[in-house]
Amino acid sequence: MSADNPVAIIENRVIVADVVRWTQWHNRMLFDEQGCFIEFQSVGRDITALKQIEEKLFQEKELAQVTLQSIGDAVITTDAFSRIQYLNPVAESLIGCSEPSAQGLPLLEIFRIVHEITREPVQNPIELALQENRIVGLANHTVLLARNGQEIAIEDSAAPIRNREGKVIGAVMVFHDVTQNRKLSRQLSWQACHDALTGLVNRQEFERRVEQALCLAKSDYQVHALCYLDLDRFKIVNDTCGHLAGDELLCQITALLQEKIRKTDTLARLGGDEFGVLLNQCMPEQALRVANELRECVQEFRFVWEKQVFSIGASIGLVGIDRYSESLAEIISIADAACYTAKNRGRNRVYVAEADDQERLQQRGQMQWASRISQALENDWFCLYAQKIAAITPADQNNDHYEVLLRLRDEQGNLVLPMAFIPAAERYNLMHLIDRWVIRTLFRNWPRVVGDKQSIYAINLSGSSINDDQFINFLYEQFSLHPILPQRICFEITETVAIANLIKAKQFIESLQQMGCRFALDDFGVGMSSFAYLKSLPVDYLKIDGSFIRNIIENSVDDAIVTAITRISSVMGIQTIAEFVENDAILERITSLGIDYAQGYGIGIPCPLS
């Protein structure tokens, strides 16, 4: 019988009673040694169950293939030796390599990743998953170097693939493009610590760096310096040309200052027209030299806007940072106070803060007062007093006249006089809030403290309220809320404030008088240029400054000044009020001069308005 008797395997699909069955036949023809046919053999078996298993496996494989092809993430599978077995279309697109050309290649040949900042290679996550037999995630700040030269920020994870026995036979990695997310995250992070207009670091980031410098000063005995810089005439540009010009000025000043400091230093915009400079590892002499260079470059700079030319200037407070510095808050406070001292001393100068500096300590005290004033406004620690203004001419003795005075009760309940906190309120722009508190409180309590009496109450106003365009609307609102005749209210501003804001003051006075209110010019006579301005200010009363009244008996010059003020006021039809009338002799003298009203401890002491 011939050995060459091949077997032919045939599979048949048959339907038996509406049921699909599969059979497999092994057919073979037998020949003798001479090649003559002997017989035909055929063996069959039912393979329906086997075919069903194959179909199920095919469907599962096809589903897996379709899933991997359709998934939005990139997928790479490798064998146990990190050789590529499969790439899905997203992986092909990101890497820049097709699956057929990648199959069998070591993963490292087509999947190159580095740290986006250091550019150091990052360990491949599949290698780590295979080595440690665990799921691993990719390190942050990883970028994929695609074959077309593009850099793609990615996030991924890799896991080992095990067979039924638990043996590792390969690995799978899933990753996705996070370039936009990472870009947005960097942008948000940058915005959180930078000023949007100038691109400089903001106050929060600046204080963080100062805190860091302070730690190094204490641990490594380093010496640093901080400049607190305030532009001197920024408001003129802003008010004259508008906010666009102000913004452009700030940007140009920023570029100017950056040229004068080292890369290791930090320039920050702290708010408005205030800048901070942290000079790292800078001795006091060098810091003073740099501060003066900053001041000089701003002084020499000319800002041009629509054919207008402005000279600026800078007041700078300079403070050292060493191992004896107490805290961040202390350093910032000292620098701010030193800057304010530079302004007070004439502007366009550098003021170096010293530990025992009395002027600076006074400024720091004002800063502390600013915080207490805000608390006082919030917690109603202020209270109102009133001092009588007596009519000393027969014509007007039927009307009571009072000045409303402000007092503050501290945390211990002690009474604090205004001169302790008013300078701080003026510096930190809190006076307009205090003025409004006084008016609201007086008007709210008017029925109880005044009632039907035809009294006139004088209220002091600050320059801040004079310059506040919304203040008139606030007064209209208060008069509409409370049944108070405007004729019963007199507002007082000082001569200094009026002259410094002459046009505004004139408009303000006229607006109040149209409402029916009266107006007094306080502390009159101090400037002695007052008579020239008096014609422009249609006031009802002049309050002659107490420094002239107090010594009117002993000092003939004071007597002459008061006499002149009284005569000119009489000609202009303005009534006069003498302050600091402390005894009968003074009262008798001012009465003989024809002064209309007297105020002082000889007339009546301030009493709670209740």
Side-chain angles (χ1 to χ4, degrees), residues 266-303:
T266 299
L267 174 64
R269 184 185 176 201
L270 305 180
D273 60 341
E274 296 177 342
F275 294 83
V277 183
L278 174 62
L279 303 171
N280 272 302
Q281 299 195 37
C282 189
M283 298 303 289
E285 300 79 10
Q286 182 187 359
L288 181 58
R289 186 169 62 252
V290 173
N292 273 307
E293 287 175 0
L294 295 175
R295 180 191 59 77
E296 287 168 5
C297 80
V298 175
Q299 181 187 7
E300 293 166 3
F301 171 70
R302 295 295 178 268
F303 178 66

Side-chain angles (χ1 to χ4, degrees), residues 223-500:
V223 175
H224 314 282
L226 187 150
C227 296
Y228 200 105
L229 185 150
D230 190 297
L231 300 181
D232 288 334
R233 286 178 287 278
F234 173 77
K235 193 173 186 298
I236 295 174
V237 176
N238 217 37
D239 291 350
T240 305
C241 304
H243 294 301
L244 282 177
D247 289 350
E248 177 60 25
L249 171 57
L250 291 173
C251 291
Q252 291 188 23
I253 290 292
T254 295
L256 204 64
L257 297 176
Q258 281 181 318
E259 291 179 358
K260 299 295 179 183
I261 61 173
R262 303 165 301 179
K263 289 184 179 180
T264 54
D265 300 328
T266 299
L267 174 64
R269 184 185 176 201
L270 305 180
D273 60 341
E274 296 177 342
F275 294 83
V277 183
L278 174 62
L279 303 171
N280 272 302
Q281 299 195 37
C282 189
M283 298 303 289
E285 300 79 10
Q286 182 187 359
L288 181 58
R289 186 169 62 252
V290 173
N292 273 307
E293 287 175 0
L294 295 175
R295 180 191 59 77
E296 287 168 5
C297 80
V298 175
Q299 181 187 7
E300 293 166 3
F301 171 70
R302 295 295 178 268
F303 178 66
V304 181
W305 184 267
E306 295 179 349
K307 298 182 180 179
Q308 295 186 75
V309 181
F310 298 90
S311 60
I312 316 298
S315 299
I316 301 176
L318 177 63
V319 59
I321 303 173
D322 55 30
R323 62 194 181 100
Y324 301 108
S325 301
E326 291 186 20
S327 65
L328 168 67
E330 176 83 2
I331 293 167
I332 299 294
S333 170
I334 292 173
D336 184 21
C339 177
Y340 189 66
T341 302
K343 277 197 177 295
N344 275 353
R345 290 195 170 187
R347 305 189 174 198
N348 192 40
R349 66 193 60 224
V350 177
Y351 186 85
V352 182
E354 301 293 344
D356 57 349
D357 186 343
Q358 290 303 312
E359 190 170 355
R360 181 184 59 77
L361 292 174
Q362 182 182 353
Q363 303 302 338
R364 286 182 60 204
Q366 288 190 3
M367 295 172 72
Q368 292 166 355
W369 262 119
S371 174
R372 292 173 69 184
I373 290 168
S374 298
Q375 284 183 290
L377 288 167
E378 192 173 324
N379 300 314
D380 266 345
W381 292 347
F382 286 112
C383 54
L384 296 182
Y385 274 54
Q387 185 177 28
K388 187 171 183 176
I389 301 173
I392 54 177
T393 56
D396 205 22
Q397 286 186 348
N398 292 327
N399 281 343
D400 289 332
H401 202 146
Y402 298 90
E403 180 180 0
V404 178
L405 303 172
L406 184 67
R407 300 291 185 266
L408 171 64
R409 292 201 178 276
D410 63 17
E411 294 86 341
Q412 289 74 42
N414 300 316
L415 212 59
V416 181
L417 295 177
M419 286 318 296
F421 57 83
I422 290 298
E426 288 174 339
R427 180 194 171 185
Y428 291 98
N429 197 29
L430 297 171
M431 278 307 303
H432 68 291
L433 299 177
I434 292 177
D435 290 347
R436 292 185 180 215
W437 183 92
V438 170
I439 292 168
R440 273 197 218 92
T441 305
L442 176 65
F443 281 31
R444 188 172 59 244
N445 292 287
W446 188 274
R448 182 172 59 83
V449 299
V450 180
D452 298 329
K453 292 184 294 184
Q454 297 300 301
S455 304
I456 296 173
Y457 280 80
I459 302 170
N460 291 281
L461 293 181
S462 65
S464 299
S465 294
I466 302 294
N467 290 313
D468 183 358
D469 294 333
Q470 300 302 314
F471 187 75
I472 296 293
N473 293 332
F474 166 75
L475 283 178
Y476 285 142
E477 178 189 38
Q478 291 302 306
F479 277 115
S480 67
L481 289 173
H482 305 281
I484 301 170
L485 288 174
Q487 290 78 5
R488 304 269 72 84
I489 300 296
C490 176
F491 290 105
E492 294 185 8
I493 62 169
T494 65
E495 175 197 15
T496 307
V497 166
I499 292 174

Side-chain angles (χ1 to χ4, degrees), residues 4 17 59 66 77 80 122 125 182 187 209 235 248 275 307 319 378 408 453 493 519 525 545:
D4 189 12
Q59 288 177 356
V66 170
T77 60
V122 175
R182 204 169 285 174
Q187 185 178 348
R209 296 188 187 187
K235 193 173 186 298
E248 177 60 25
F275 294 83
K307 298 182 180 179
V319 59
E378 192 173 324
L408 171 64
K453 292 184 294 184
I493 62 169
F519 218 93
D545 190 73

Side-chain angles (χ1 to χ4, degrees), residues 4-10 25-30 41-43:
D4 189 12
N5 295 300
V7 176
I9 301 173
I10 300 172
W25 298 90
H26 290 241
N27 300 322
R28 184 167 63 170
M29 297 177 68
L30 299 179
Q41 294 179 346
S42 183
V43 179

